[in-house]
Amino acid sequence: MLQKIQLHWQILIALLLAVGFGVLFPEQVKYVSWMGDVFLRALSMIIIPLIFASIVSGVTGIGSSENLGRMSFKTISYYLMTSIFAIATGLLMVNLIRPGVGADLGLSMVVEGIDVTHDSFGQTLLKIIPTNIIDAMARGDLPAIIFFAIFFGFFTTKVDAHYREPIVTFFNAVFEIMMKITLFVIKFTPLGVFGIVAALMADQSDNLAAIFGRLGIYMLTVIAALAIHAFITLPLLMRLIGGANALKHARGLSVPLLTAFSTSSSSATLPLTMEAVESKSGVSNKTASFVLPLGATINMDGTALYQCIAVLFIAQAYGVELTLIQQLIVMITALLASIGAAGIPMAGLVIMTIILSAVGLPLEGIGLILAVDRPLDMFRTAVNVWSDSCGTVIIAKSEGEVLKV
Ligand code: ASP
C-alpha cells in the first residue's frame, strides 16, 4: 500500500507527522531521532566516494583541456551570476521591508560556540589545495577533494590508453555503484525525515514564540526573498538561457528538495540531487557529475541572500545606517562567504561573522537572529539545492544536450 504512494508524498506526510509528533511528544522524540541519525550517516557515507568518482568520471568524459576550461568557466560564471541576483534580491527586500527597525535588542540570545572566522579570503582560497588528499577526504573537505579530483581526472586523459582505460572504467564503476547505494538509501528518506524533523521540532519548540513575535517579519522577509529567487529569477533564467521548463524540472526534483529542506544540508542531499537531475531531468552523467558537486560547494544562493538580509537586519536593529559603500561591501563579502560556506546545517550563520566584521557590526548581533536560524536554514538549503540543479540543466542545455525538461 505504502509503495503506491509516490516518494515525495511519503516524505511530505512524514514531515507533517514529525512536526506534530515533535511538538506534542517532545519526551518521546528520543525513540525516533535515531532514524534521522541513521539516514544522515548513510548519506554522509556516500558523499566522499561519490564526489571523487563523479568528478573523475565527469572530467575524463569532458575530455580535452579546451572543453574542461570552457565547462569550468561557464559553470563558475553562471553560479556567480545567480548568487549576485540572489544577493540583490535580498538587499532590495530588506531595504524595502526594514524588518530590523525597532527590533527588541533585549531578546538577544547568548551565542555559544560561534567564533569569528579568522581566515581571510586569500587563505580560504589557498586551502583549496590539499596538502594531503587522504586527510582532506577524512575531514570531508569538499573544495580540496574537488580540486584534487579535477587534477586527477584531467591528467588521466593525458596518459597512455593502456593506463587511462582501466582508471576510467574503475571510476565509472565506482560512480555507478555509489549511485546504486544512493537509490537504496533514498527509499528510507521518509523515515529519516521523520526522525530529523521530530527531533528538530522538540528542540526548537521554545523558539516558537520568537517566530511569531518580532522575528516573524524578519523571517517573512527572508522567505519572501527566497521565494522570488526560487520561483521567479531561477525559472526565468532556465527559460531564457536554457530554454528549459522549470516546472517539469521541479517535479522531478521533489525528493532532493524535500530532503534538503528537512536535513538543512546541501552536501548530504547531493547524492539524491545527482540521481534526480540525471534520471528525472535527463542531464548526462558527464555534465551532472562535474557541475553539481561544484555547485554544492560554491553555489549557495539561498545562503548569500539570507546573509545579506540578516546583516542588514542586525544593522537596523542596532540603529546603524549602512552607507551605499558598506552595502556594497556586504554584497561582496556575502558572495565570498557563501562560496566559503560548507553545505552543512547553520554554516551560513557561522560564516556570517566575516560580513559583520567587514562592516564593523557587533558579532553579538547574531544572537538576535539565532532563535529562527534553523527554520530559515531549511528554506535556504532547499533554494541552494534548487539553484545547483537549475544551473546543471542550463549548462547541459548550453552543451547541446537534449533533456527531458
Ligand atoms: N545549510 C546550508 C546548506 O547546506 C548552508 C547554510 O547554512 O546556509 O546549503
Side-chain angles (χ1 to χ4, degrees), residues 81-383:
M81 177 181 80
T82 57
S83 297
I84 292 171
F85 281 148
I87 290 171
T89 310
L91 273 185
L92 191 75
M93 292 297 279
V94 72
N95 279 309
L96 275 179
I97 302 178
R98 303 180 67 77
V101 176
D104 189 350
L105 290 177
L107 288 178
S108 186
M109 294 168 80
V110 182
V111 195
E112 280 164 22
I114 293 185
D115 292 329
V116 194
T117 311
H118 291 292
D119 282 355
S120 69
F121 182 61
Q123 277 169 318
T124 311
L125 217 61
L126 197 67
K127 282 191 183 154
I128 291 179
I129 308 174
T131 49
N132 176 345
I133 184 63
I134 309 289
D135 173 57
M137 284 182 169
R139 283 184 294 108
D141 181 353
L142 293 192
I145 297 171
I146 292 178
F147 183 84
F148 181 79
I150 292 178
F151 261 75
F152 189 87
F154 179 69
F155 285 100
T156 301
T157 65
K158 300 285 172 213
V159 295
D160 246 22
H162 170 67
Y163 297 121
R164 185 176 62 240
E165 277 153 18
I167 292 289
V168 172
T169 312
F170 174 78
F171 280 104
N172 283 345
V174 173
F175 179 75
E176 290 299 325
I177 296 165
M178 295 319 294
M179 288 310 268
K180 281 269 185 290
I181 302 181
T182 304
L183 274 174
F184 175 72
V185 174
I186 285 179
K187 296 200 182 102
F188 299 93
T189 316
L191 294 176
V193 162
F194 184 82
I196 295 169
V197 176
L200 194 69
M201 285 313 292
D203 191 45
Q204 295 276 316
S205 49
D206 291 349
N207 292 334
L208 285 181
I211 294 177
F212 294 110
R214 181 72 211 168
L215 283 177
I217 301 172
Y218 158 70
M219 272 190 90
L220 283 181
T221 312
V222 176
I223 293 173
L226 286 173
I228 293 175
H229 189 69
F231 297 125
I232 300 174
T233 313
L234 291 174
L236 266 180
L237 288 176
M238 275 187 92
R239 163 94 15 241
L240 299 178
I241 311 181
N245 184 329
L247 203 64
K248 263 196 197 162
H249 175 58
R251 267 195 220 122
L253 234 78
S254 48
V255 170
L257 289 179
L258 285 169
T259 309
F261 184 77
S262 312
T263 59
S264 292
S265 170
S266 39
S267 291
T269 312
L270 182 62
L272 314 196
T273 321
M274 198 163 263
E275 198 278 329
V277 164
E278 287 187 21
S279 74
K280 302 281 183 356
S281 301
V283 176
S284 75
N285 175 239
K286 185 183 79 181
T287 306
S289 57
F290 181 73
V291 179
L292 261 187
L294 261 185
T297 35
I298 64 168
N299 182 48
M300 299 215 179
D301 293 2
T303 301
L305 177 154
Y306 146 85
Q307 287 174 331
C308 267
I309 297 186
V311 168
L312 282 239
F313 173 83
I314 292 170
Q316 288 166 0
Y318 279 95
V320 179
E321 231 8 276
L322 293 185
T323 62
L324 219 56
I325 298 287
Q326 277 176 312
Q327 297 215 13
L328 204 66
I329 296 177
V330 171
M331 279 186 90
I332 297 167
T333 37
L335 182 66
L336 301 180
S338 70
I339 294 174
I344 52 172
M346 294 181 86
L349 181 83
V350 176
I351 208 153
M352 209 173 79
T353 48
I354 298 182
I355 314 174
L356 288 175
S357 29
V359 285
L361 284 167
L363 297 180
E364 301 80 60
I366 287 188
L368 271 180
I369 52 169
L370 206 55
V372 293
D373 184 70
R374 196 55 215 265
L376 288 179
D377 198 0
M378 301 167 94
F379 288 98
R380 66 183 189 250
T381 307
V383 173

Side-chain angles (χ1 to χ4, degrees), residues 1-11 13 190:
M1 152 72 184
L2 206 60
Q3 264 122 6
K4 290 215 185 92
I5 307 174
Q6 281 180 319
L7 188 61
H8 56 261
W9 290 116
Q10 292 181 27
I11 301 174
I13 295 168

